[in-house]
Amino acid sequence: MIPSPQTELPVTGHPLADTVARFAWLLPVLPLLGFLINGFLSLRAAAHPGPADPTAASHHGHGEQAHGDTDHGHGAQHDDHGDHGDHGDHHPARHPAAALVSLIGPAVLLLSFGLAVAIFFAMKAAHIEEAYVLTLFQWMPTGKLSVDVALQLDQLSMVMTLIITGIGSLIHIFSVGYMQDDPGYPRYFAYLNLFIFFMLMLVLGSSYPLMFVGWEGVGLCSYLLIGFWYSEKANADAGKKAFIVNRIGDFGFLVAMFLMFANFGTLTYAGVEGAAAQLQVGALVATAIALFLFLGAAGKSAQIPLYVWLPDAMAGPTPVSALIHAATMVTAGVYLIARSATLFAMAPTAQLTVALVGALTAVFAATIGLKQWDIKKVLAYSTVSQLGYMFVGVGVGAYTAGVFHLMTHAFFKALLFLGSGSVIYAMHRAYHVTHNHEDAQDMRNMGGLRAHMPVTFYLMWIATLAIAGIPVFSGFFSKDEILTSVFARAHGSTLADASLLGIPGSTLLYIIYALGLAAALMTAIYMTRMMLYTFHGPNRTGEAERAHLKEAPWIMTGPLVVLGVLSLVGGWFNLPLISGGAIGPVEVLHHWLEPVVGRGALIVTHGEAAHLSHATEYLLIGTAVAIAVAGIAFAFARLKPDALVPAKDAPAEQGFAKVLYDKWYVDEAYAKAVVKPTLGISRIVLWKGVDVGIIDGLFVNGSALVARGFGWMGSQLQSGRVGTYAWVLVLGAVMVLSAFSFL
């Protein structure tokens, strides 16, 4: 039973025990209450057309008319370009509880964020070194395994909580405008609130099993939200794909927990960290557990080869994409590794694996982003690539750098996705008025939107410069710190002393650094390409539609402004030492996270902080900046928005461009290597062989045949013919006499 605010809590002697932190249980409970209330309200249908209602088709909402990946959660454009109902003028009835849901959905998140801020300041004032564990009740007191439902407040969980509730609040507010007329409006906010509840349980739980509850919960909610318009098969399939692929990673997480308990006898964070610290660097058990944890992280955070679910997640509403890609689900894998910092530090081979897979993912996804035309697909592969950067950071033991990039990425990627949502909203609104059926997400149908959406234009350029790594903007500081950390650990670290696949760790780290630079170059190119084709050059939407293109309402634009400020100044949360404090305090986030990840980071660097000379550091910074500027300049020089034609008139992709457009045919390879053989085995062996052949044929039909045989024999013995009975009597007598004769 969860304690109420008046419940007496055990005295722990912790500095936070008598502060607002004792109400930390409200952080996840508030979104859970929002889910329960909005879920109850969603049980009431938006409209009840009668059987003779000629306009019934116009009340089905988004799902029935969705077109593949096209996003239809766009407020007034909810009837999908006006292509159904009499003359396309019918709008689905707005849910009668929409006003109440608009208040409850964002309010519970804002309250949770306000509480998180209060706890943060209490934690900052207390200068805590040890985590504050708030035990609520026992969960699994079974023999040697005893797991409590307990929340752990420390510097890492606090950073994650602020990101989740803060960015989540902005996305909820944006959703009020974006989804306002959707018939499933309460259901949407119910899922969104539940998503935040499980994500908070994931980052606040004090043990791996409790993290796994949140881990599975966000997987469930991603399935519900990605397939929100489930009546369209493509959307439902995308939700199922995300759910199934994540189960592969979950297997790794489960095996890791079994190994932890078998070897350490505990599953709490504190217990595992203490036991891991007693191991030798390179211990087999540490390597095995770390690799299985990484398998779980690769599934949740979309690393090669388990990244394929994330681009398909675009089937859900755009705010869902922002929530999943920026602040919640996909960052869970990075959080898992940072939370297990000491354990991974004891396994340099596993760390090299994490960093190498991250670097390969960053480059591979960036190549695909170069040739995508769907604005959301560009951002989806951008997310996969940036997650690769985060894994490079935590993989080389620069845990603060990885978390720092997680934070700045939450700022600029949420801005990019919500900004693209505003663009899609405007495009749908224009197409709706003119009854045009063109794809509102294809950049070839955009162009020149700068004149119609100036606020969105400037804000999205801020986010683009941030992700490209241009100085002053937030992404520059976090991305540069990751690349610098890789270079610094190429010598004088456990990673440099180790090897992977016969390649010395030092050599591998230089390769990873080079891959990071290549990914940075392509990031600058494809993001500039997106901005040029969307906002620059002539407008390709259409003459009739052009007059209806305009900025989204302020309920949607307001959150973009906040995210724009964060994307601009977010890098100041962890300014490098080389800045000398000229523009602000240095390494704020580094000092904040040190009590949690400091031990693991020092193990990797043999007890001393990684250090580079100022000359080397300036050279690395200059190289990274030159790469970013070169990518932007190349895009401006080679890409000509004036020469682009609308999607309907565009020629098909040819050659290598087609390979990138078709995403290296990875999905097709999975279909041939995994999906089709699985379906074949299921059809031939399990269905026709086991189900039809053995169960139906042998057991069901066979037992029926035996029963019919006995019945037939009985019917023949009970025929009613006296002659038959006489012959049976004679035959029986002969058999008895024969038996006695043989005896």
Side-chain angles (χ1 to χ4, degrees):
M1 176 176 172
I2 297 176
S4 66
Q6 293 80 24
T7 302
E8 290 287 336
L9 294 173
V11 178
T12 64
H14 195 280
L16 292 178
D18 297 322
T19 68
V20 69
R22 67 184 186 274
F23 301 118
W25 57 274
L26 279 171
L27 289 169
V29 166
L30 285 167
L32 181 61
L33 288 175
F35 159 71
L36 294 174
I37 297 171
N38 290 326
F40 176 77
L41 294 173
S42 70
L43 297 178
R44 182 179 179 185
H48 302 279
D53 187 346
T55 65
S58 68
H59 293 280
H60 291 310
H62 303 77
E64 288 76 359
Q65 302 292 333
H67 303 288
D69 290 335
T70 303
D71 190 342
H72 298 280
H74 34 78
Q77 290 69 251
H78 51 281
D79 65 349
D80 310 325
H81 319 311
D83 59 341
H84 57 82
D86 299 336
H87 301 287
D89 296 325
H90 293 289
H91 292 249
R94 193 180 188 208
H95 198 284
L100 185 58
V101 172
S102 299
L103 176 64
I104 295 172
V108 293
L109 257 292
L110 289 169
L111 289 172
S112 190
F113 175 65
L115 178 59
V117 171
I119 295 174
F120 166 75
F121 281 110
M123 188 179 294
K124 186 178 179 182
H127 302 288
I128 67 167
E129 293 294 326
E130 298 292 331
Y132 172 50
V133 178
L134 178 63
T135 302
L136 302 178
F137 55 88
Q138 282 190 325
W139 179 23
M140 290 189 289
T142 55
K144 294 182 179 180
L145 177 63
S146 180
V147 179
D148 295 331
V149 173
L151 306 182
Q152 178 165 317
L153 292 177
D154 58 23
Q155 290 80 357
L156 178 59
S157 65
M158 201 67 250
V159 168
M160 294 299 297
T161 299
L162 288 169
I163 293 172
I164 293 164
T165 56
I167 304 298
S169 296
L170 295 174
I171 293 171
H172 276 65
I173 294 170
F174 183 92
S175 295
V176 170
Y178 195 82
M179 298 289 291
Q180 59 183 323
D181 288 330
D182 193 291
Y185 191 67
R187 177 168 61 92
Y188 170 81
F189 270 99
Y191 292 165
L192 222 57
N193 289 160
L194 186 64
F195 199 115
I196 297 295
F197 163 74
F198 278 121
M199 192 65 200
L200 288 172
M201 291 303 299
L202 190 155
V203 300
L204 287 172
S206 65
S207 63
Y208 287 97
L210 206 55
M211 181 196 286
F212 191 71
V213 170
W215 193 273
E216 292 300 289
V218 294
L220 167 65
C221 293
S222 69
Y223 163 74
L224 296 172
L225 285 166
I226 293 169
F228 181 74
W229 296 308
Y230 54 84
S231 58
E232 174 65 31
K233 186 177 185 299
N235 299 338
D237 287 346
K240 288 186 287 186
K241 185 176 182 180
F243 192 80
I244 292 170
V245 172
N246 271 274
R247 300 293 72 74
I248 300 172
D250 295 348
F251 167 78
F253 196 160
L254 282 170
V255 173
M257 284 196 290
F258 294 151
L259 290 174
M260 285 180 200
F261 184 68
N263 289 277
F264 304 150
T266 180
L267 290 173
T268 63
Y269 299 147
V272 170
E273 182 182 5
Q278 305 304 314
L279 299 173
Q280 293 292 325
V281 173
L284 180 60
V285 63
T287 302
I289 295 173
L291 286 174
F292 277 113
L293 283 176
F294 175 54
L295 176 58
K300 195 67 71 181
S301 295
Q303 298 297 285
I304 290 176
L306 302 179
Y307 73 93
V308 291
W309 69 269
L310 192 57
D312 284 19
M314 298 301 96
T318 299
V320 171
S321 303
L323 190 64
I324 291 177
H325 286 242
T328 55
M329 182 172 171
V330 296
T331 62
V334 181
Y335 170 77
L336 172 61
I337 295 178
R339 174 58 71 190
S340 310
T342 302
L343 181 63
F344 273 85
M346 294 297 176
T349 302
Q351 285 187 292
L352 287 173
T353 303
V354 172
L356 179 60
V357 171
L360 292 173
T361 301
V363 171
F364 183 77
T367 62
I368 299 175
L370 290 171
K371 286 305 296 181
Q372 297 305 302
W373 291 109
D374 186 313
I375 189 171
K376 288 178 64 177
K377 286 291 181 69
V378 175
L379 296 177
Y381 283 103
S382 167
T383 297
V384 177
S385 183
Q386 295 303 306
L387 285 167
Y389 267 108
M390 297 176 210
F391 274 88
V392 169
V394 295
V396 300
Y399 303 108
T400 298
V403 174
F404 184 30
H405 196 56
L406 182 157
M407 179 176 68
T408 60
H409 178 263
F411 300 153
F412 57 70
K413 186 51 64 67
L415 174 54
L416 287 168
F417 264 112
L418 295 185
S420 72
S422 291
V423 170
I424 295 168
Y425 182 96
M427 293 287 293
H428 270 297
R429 179 166 48 194
Y431 282 147
H432 167 74
V433 173
T434 61
H435 309 294
N436 195 328
H437 297 186
E438 293 300 317
D439 187 353
Q441 295 179 199
D442 196 311
M443 294 185 295
R444 291 170 293 191
N445 294 329
M446 299 176 187
L449 294 184
R450 172 183 183 178
H452 306 281
M453 307 180 69
V455 177
T456 303
F457 165 76
Y458 287 113
L459 291 173
M460 287 190 70
W461 258 118
I462 290 175
T464 298
L465 295 175
I467 194 174
I470 297 299
V472 180
F473 298 93
S474 62
F476 160 74
F477 295 100
S478 56
K479 187 181 292 186
D480 178 71
E481 186 171 345
I482 289 174
L483 293 174
T484 302
S485 298
V486 175
F487 198 90
R489 284 160 176 75
H491 293 284
S493 69
T494 58
L495 300 176
D497 300 336
S499 64
L500 180 65
L501 302 175
I503 304 174
S506 181
T507 302
L508 200 58
L509 288 171
Y510 285 128
I511 294 173
I512 291 169
Y513 175 77
L515 291 174
L517 289 179
L521 176 64
M522 287 185 282
T523 299
I525 293 173
Y526 69 68
M527 289 304 302
T528 305
R529 170 182 179 267
M530 185 194 79
M531 292 300 296
L532 288 175
Y533 288 161
T534 302
F535 292 99
H536 294 260
N539 180 257
R540 299 174 295 276
T541 308
E543 290 290 339
E545 290 79 12
R546 199 166 299 137
H548 304 285
L549 292 170
K550 60 181 179 180
E551 201 75 70
W554 272 103
I555 190 71
M556 296 166 60
T557 307
L560 302 186
V561 175
V562 177
L563 290 169
V565 174
L566 292 173
S567 299
L568 181 61
V569 304
W572 292 14
F573 287 113
N574 201 48
L575 293 172
L577 279 172
I578 199 171
S579 68
I583 57 176
V586 299
E587 295 192 330
V588 173
L589 185 65
H590 173 79
H591 294 308
W592 175 259
L593 292 177
E594 190 171 7
V596 182
V597 301
R599 176 194 282 183
L602 288 176
I603 290 173
V604 173
T605 54
H606 296 308
E608 295 184 5
H611 178 71
L612 291 172
S613 67
H614 284 336
T616 302
E617 221 171 324
Y618 281 124
L619 178 62
L620 295 178
I621 293 173
T623 302
V625 173
I627 287 288
V629 172
I632 295 174
F634 176 84
F636 268 99
R638 293 296 301 272
L639 303 177
K640 304 299 181 184
D642 294 349
L644 206 61
V645 297
K648 63 181 179 181
D649 302 321
E653 302 290 351
Q654 301 291 332
F656 188 60
K658 179 174 173 55
V659 175
L660 297 182
Y661 177 74
D662 290 329
K663 302 161 288 187
W664 293 95
Y665 303 106
V666 173
D667 283 301
E668 290 79 359
Y670 269 118
K672 290 183 178 179
V674 179
V675 177
K676 289 183 179 178
T678 301
L679 290 175
I681 293 172
S682 300
R683 182 179 297 110
I684 297 171
V685 178
L686 299 180
W687 175 37
K688 293 184 178 180
V690 177
D691 192 10
V692 176
I694 298 176
I695 297 177
D696 287 346
L698 181 59
F699 293 138
V700 178
N701 297 333
S703 60
L705 182 62
V706 171
R708 284 198 301 271
F710 278 113
W712 179 83
M713 292 175 59
S715 68
Q716 296 304 307
L717 293 174
Q718 301 293 330
S719 64
R721 298 189 184 99
V722 177
T724 301
Y725 295 162
W727 278 109
V728 171
L729 180 62
V730 171
L731 182 61
V734 170
M735 291 177 65
V736 171
L737 291 174
S738 299
F740 279 108
S741 298
F742 284 113
L743 292 173

